[in-house]
Amino acid sequence: MPQLDASFFKPFVEGTLKTLKVQCKTDAFHESPFFKGTKPEPAFAIAGVIDIASVTFTGRISLCFPEPVFLGMMERMLEESFPEITLELQDGVAELLNMIFGQAKVTLNEQGHTIQKAIPTVVRDDTLNTQIGKIVVLPFKTDLGVFHIEIRSDS
Amino acid sequence: MFSPDTQVLVVDDMMTMRKLVTKTCKGLGFSKITDAADGALAWAAIQQADPPIGLIISDWNMPNTSGLDLLKRVRADSRFGKIPFIMVTAEAEQYQIMEAVKSGVSNYVIKPFTADVLKEKLEDVHKKITAA
């Protein structure tokens, strides 16, 4: 089993806590990471996805929310309520990931990862990560419910 | 501070961010705000605007024409070269900030951000303009 590389995923945890605190006025608390497939699959309705190809890391970062958690985050961010995830609203998950990634990238590049800019996309179905074994799940708790980040390493 | 009648152009490929920046600007007193989903659309809006755009708040990382490309285009055109241009972006690395400064950005806001941060940057830009 591959080792959990804390120095790689810690910047994503820190970026997540700060982004949600500042932009969504939400305190998030991170829980123990685990490899996908070793615990029950965390549910999600929407995910922001960034594919990364650098000298040291090739893979995918996904920010995954169940619907009520995402709607709650958007309500706090935009100060209006939303009954469902619409096409207009869904890019909010990509923007939150963009902010998290932007912060994590600073720390990771200081560590020598040479990660470049990337534009996030949105996934709404269950085809996010079908491969099992090299995907680290970073779970978070908030007063709105739980959500998670998946870090898939292809390198 | 800028006049509430200043024509503000918000540029971001993400609808939620355009909405967030627009709401923040309204909260700061601006009433005339338009938006564009990328740098190319923003450039067209700048050329057609009547009354003219008085403040541009743009994301960096967008498909087609990026915020940096838009900034360079605006600064290279004598008709629009002095429009205050604020970059609101998740790109937080020092070399990127320096690249934007070299290209003539008026100020730089790193996402995530609060209304207070945007207000502070706008006040700073306004002070520089009035002092010039």
Side-chain angles (χ1 to χ4, degrees):
Chain A
M1 178 173 282
Q3 296 298 303
L4 292 171
D5 184 354
S7 69
F8 189 82
F9 61 70
K10 198 175 167 200
F12 289 98
V13 172
E14 289 167 351
T16 302
L17 302 185
K18 183 179 175 186
T19 296
L20 297 187
K21 175 88 176 170
V22 174
Q23 215 65 77
C24 303
K25 304 165 197 80
T26 298
D27 288 315
F29 303 93
H30 65 99
E31 302 194 302
S32 299
F34 59 89
F35 285 108
K36 195 169 181 179
T38 62
K39 286 189 176 184
E41 192 86 356
F44 76 95
I46 186 165
V49 173
I50 286 181
D51 289 314
I52 298 173
S54 79
V55 177
T56 54
F57 178 84
T58 301
R60 167 177 278 197
I61 313 295
S62 310
L63 173 65
C64 311
F65 288 107
E67 184 165 20
V69 182
F70 177 67
L71 291 175
M73 294 289 177
M74 289 299 102
E75 182 173 338
R76 290 177 182 178
M77 180 168 149
L78 299 171
E79 295 174 345
E80 61 181 278
S81 59
F82 302 97
E84 60 181 347
I85 303 175
T86 59
L87 277 176
E88 275 204 325
L89 191 64
Q90 68 178 19
D91 71 17
V93 73
E95 188 55 54
L96 289 177
L97 179 59
N98 189 38
M99 294 180 200
I100 293 165
F101 177 68
Q103 293 166 79
K105 189 157 64 73
V106 175
T107 308
L108 292 172
N109 285 348
E110 283 169 1
Q111 294 171 7
H113 283 285
T114 63
I115 292 170
Q116 301 297 309
K117 285 199 291 275
I119 293 180
T121 54
V122 176
V123 170
R124 290 292 305 274
D125 57 29
D126 58 2
T127 59
L128 183 63
N129 285 311
T130 49
Q131 131 198 28
I132 300 295
K134 292 176 82 177
I135 301 166
V136 175
V137 177
L138 309 176
F140 294 86
K141 251 187 194 171
T142 71
D143 64 326
L144 295 167
V146 297
F147 70 95
H148 68 280
I149 286 179
E150 293 186 11
I151 300 180
R152 191 184 85 195
S153 170
D154 300 333
S155 48
Chain B
M1 190 55 172
F2 288 91
S3 155
D5 290 333
T6 303
Q7 293 282 338
V8 183
L9 176 62
V10 174
V11 191
D12 200 303
D13 56 321
M14 303 285 184
M15 187 284 298
T16 44
M17 275 314 293
R18 293 198 301 275
K19 204 166 186 171
L20 177 65
V21 174
T22 298
K23 277 198 170 192
T24 306
C25 287
K26 282 182 181 167
L28 295 175
F30 293 103
S31 58
K32 296 178 177 170
I33 306 164
T34 53
D35 64 28
D38 66 35
L41 292 169
W43 179 242
I46 291 164
Q47 291 176 295
Q48 291 162 13
D50 183 22
I53 298 295
L55 172 65
I56 300 167
I57 301 176
S58 177
D59 184 25
W60 180 322
N61 201 7
M62 297 181 286
N64 304 321
T65 304
S66 74
L68 187 68
D69 292 336
L70 175 66
L71 170 63
K72 288 176 179 172
R73 200 176 278 185
V74 167
R75 288 292 177 257
D77 192 311
S78 59
R79 294 170 298 167
F80 313 117
K82 291 190 174 170
I83 299 175
F85 194 118
I86 295 182
M87 197 79 89
V88 180
T89 174
E91 300 302 335
E93 289 177 84
Q94 196 62 33
Y95 80 92
Q96 291 173 311
I97 297 170
M98 290 313 298
E99 194 177 356
V101 169
K102 277 182 195 165
S103 301
V105 79
S106 309
N107 220 321
Y108 200 94
V109 177
I110 295 170
K111 299 175 190 173
F113 68 99
T114 62
D116 285 343
V117 169
L118 183 58
K119 184 180 179 210
E120 191 182 298
K121 303 282 183 175
L122 285 166
E123 284 172 348
D124 186 51
V125 170
H126 190 254
K127 268 184 206 164
K128 283 181 198 162
I129 293 167
T130 49

